C-alpha cells in the first residue's frame, strides 16, 4: 500500500502550453502534483498528463476561486503553490522537503527572483505589482484566497515560520511589451473588482498614489539599481491603481 502524499504541489493555469512543462518537471520532488486547468483551449491538458494524474478541469472567472479550488484538491497536509511561469531549483526543492519534515510552524514565505526575459531584476518590485516574496508553502487548511479577479486578498490562520533562504525563479515578463500587456490586463480585472465592491475611489487619491507608489518602488525598494526596468516597474506600480480607477469610472459614466 502506497504512502499518502505529505507534500502536494499545485499549479492553477489558463492556457500555459508554452511554460507548463518547464514548471512541472521541476516539481517531481513533491509527493503529488495537482494541475488545475481553467478554461484551457490549448495543449495544457496534454502536457499536464505527462507529469500528473491529479488534473482538475473547470471554469473559474475569479482568480481567488480558482486558487482555492486548486488547494482544496490537494491530498497532502502541506501545499506548495506555484504558477506556471515559476521554477523551483533543486536547492529550493530540498529546503522545502526539509522544512516540511522539521518545522513547527504552519506557513512559510519563499523569496523570489524575478526575471524579465533572461535578465534578473531583483529590486523595485512591490506595491501590488510584482512580488519579492510570497507565502507559498503552507498547511492546507491555513490559507484561503479572497474573491477577487486579480491580486486576491489572503486570509490566514496558524503560525508563521521563518522565510526560506533559497529563491524561486519567476519569469514574470518576456520583454517590455509583455510588461505593458500585463499592466493593461491587471488594471482591467482590478476595475471589475472595484465596480463589484461599489467603491472605485477618487481620481485625486489615485493620482497621489501614482507618485507615492513610484517613490516606494524606485527609491524605497531600490528600483533605481535596475536601470530602465526599475523605472518602468515603479511607473507601472503607480499607474496600476490609477488606470484601474479610470477604467472602472469609464464603465460607470
Amino acid at each position: 500500500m502506497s504512502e499518502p502524499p505529505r507534500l502536494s504541489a499545485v499549479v492553477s493555469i489558463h492556457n500555459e502550453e508554452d511554460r507548463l512543462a518547464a514548471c512541472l518537471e521541476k516539481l517531481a520532488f513533491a509527493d503529488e502534483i495537482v494541475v488545475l486547468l481553467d478554461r484551457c483551449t490549448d495543449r495544457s491538458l496534454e502536457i499536464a498528463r505527462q507529469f500528473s494524474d491529479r488534473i482538475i478541469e473547470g471554469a473559474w472567472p475569479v482568480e481567488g476561486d480558482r486558487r482555492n479550488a486548486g488547494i482544496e484538491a490537494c491530498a497532502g497536509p502541506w501545499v506548495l503553490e506555484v504558477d506556471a511561469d515559476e521554477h523551483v531549483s533543486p536547492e529550493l526543492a530540498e529546503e522545502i522537503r526539509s522544512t516540511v519534515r522539521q518545522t513547527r510552524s504552519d506557513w512559510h514565505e519563499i523569496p523570489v527572483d524575478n526575471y524579465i526575459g533572461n535578465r534578473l531584476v531583483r529590486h523595485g518590485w512591490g506595491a501590488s505589482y510584482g512580488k519579492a516574496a510570497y507565502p507559498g508553502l503552507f498547511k492546507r487548511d491555513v490559507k484561503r484566497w479572497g474573491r477577487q479577479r486579480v491580486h486576491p486578498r489572503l486570509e490566514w490562520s496558524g503560525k508563521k515560520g521563518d522565510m526560506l533562504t533559497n529563491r524561486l525563479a519567476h519569469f514574470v515578463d518576456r520583454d517590455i511589451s509583455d510588461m505593458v500587456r500585463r499592466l493593461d490586463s491587471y488594471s482591467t480585472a482590478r476595475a471589475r473588482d472595484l465596480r463589484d465592491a461599489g467603491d472605485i475611489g477618487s481620481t485625486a487619491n489615485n493620482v497621489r498614489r501614482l507618485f507615492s507608489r513610484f517613490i516606494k518602488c524606485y527609491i524605497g525598494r531600490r528600483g533605481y539599481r535596475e536601470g530602465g526596468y526599475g523605472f518602468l516597474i515603479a511607473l507601472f506600480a503607480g499607474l496600476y491603481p490609477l488606470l484601474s480607477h479610470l477604467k472602472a469610472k469609464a464603465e460607470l459614466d
Side-chain angles (χ1 to χ4, degrees):
M1 184 175 179
S2 61
E3 291 288 328
R6 179 161 179 77
L7 172 64
S8 299
V10 60
V11 185
S12 302
I13 65 165
H14 171 68
N15 287 349
E16 296 281 5
E17 64 178 5
D18 58 335
R19 302 184 180 196
L20 187 57
C23 171
L24 294 180
E25 68 183 9
K26 295 172 178 63
L27 298 177
F29 67 94
D31 301 310
E32 171 189 63
I33 300 175
V34 176
V35 184
L36 184 143
L37 305 175
D38 180 10
R39 297 163 292 172
C40 289
T41 57
D42 62 357
R43 294 178 55 251
S44 292
L45 174 59
E46 176 186 340
I47 294 168
R49 283 174 171 162
Q50 300 174 26
F51 299 90
S52 175
D53 57 3
R54 292 286 294 123
I55 298 172
I56 314 297
E57 295 184 83
W60 294 269
V62 176
E63 181 183 349
D65 291 345
R66 181 179 76 185
R67 290 185 177 276
N68 287 332
I71 293 169
E72 290 164 3
C74 294
W78 278 91
V79 176
L80 170 67
E81 188 176 26
V82 301
D83 292 336
D85 58 358
E86 297 173 340
H87 294 177
V88 177
S89 68
E91 294 78 13
L92 177 56
E94 178 55 36
E95 184 179 11
I96 289 170
R97 296 288 300 184
S98 176
T99 299
V100 168
R101 289 193 302 267
Q102 300 175 18
T103 186
R104 295 184 179 181
S105 301
D106 298 301
W107 57 281
H108 295 263
E109 287 188 309
I110 301 173
V112 177
D113 270 343
N114 294 289
Y115 289 82
I116 300 175
N118 294 320
R119 163 81 181 273
L120 171 60
V121 180
R122 180 162 287 176
H123 302 286
W125 302 100
S128 299
Y129 197 81
K131 58 187 182 183
Y134 80 112
L137 181 64
F138 52 93
K139 291 182 179 177
R140 188 179 58 223
D141 297 329
V142 307
K143 176 179 177 179
R144 186 158 188 86
W145 293 94
R147 298 201 72 251
Q148 288 80 39
R149 294 176 177 84
V150 65
H151 301 137
R153 299 184 184 92
L154 278 173
E155 297 178 2
W156 289 101
S157 60
K159 178 183 177 183
K160 180 181 179 180
D162 294 336
M163 184 182 293
L164 303 191
T165 58
N166 290 283
R167 291 176 173 269
L168 182 85
H170 181 202
F171 297 91
V172 58
D173 293 307
R174 295 177 178 87
D175 49 33
I176 292 175
S177 295
D178 215 18
M179 295 175 71
V180 174
R181 284 189 290 268
R182 183 161 64 93
L183 174 63
D184 183 48
S185 174
Y186 278 14
S187 58
T188 296
R190 177 61 178 160
R192 292 171 183 161
D193 285 338
L194 292 174
R195 292 198 303 272
D196 288 351
D199 182 10
I200 68 170
S202 70
T203 301
N205 184 56
N206 281 288
V207 169
R208 286 193 294 269
R209 294 175 75 189
L210 189 160
F211 293 101
S212 64
R213 282 174 168 239
F214 179 89
I215 292 170
K216 179 179 180 180
C217 291
Y218 195 66
I219 304 299
R221 297 183 182 272
R222 297 182 292 174
Y224 61 86
R225 297 182 60 177
E226 303 293 353
Y229 283 137
F231 178 85
L232 287 175
I233 291 166
L235 177 62
F236 290 174
L239 284 171
Y240 167 63
L242 178 59
L243 287 175
S244 301
H245 161 77
L246 291 174
K247 288 180 179 182
K249 185 177 180 180
E251 288 294 324
L252 295 175
D253 288 344

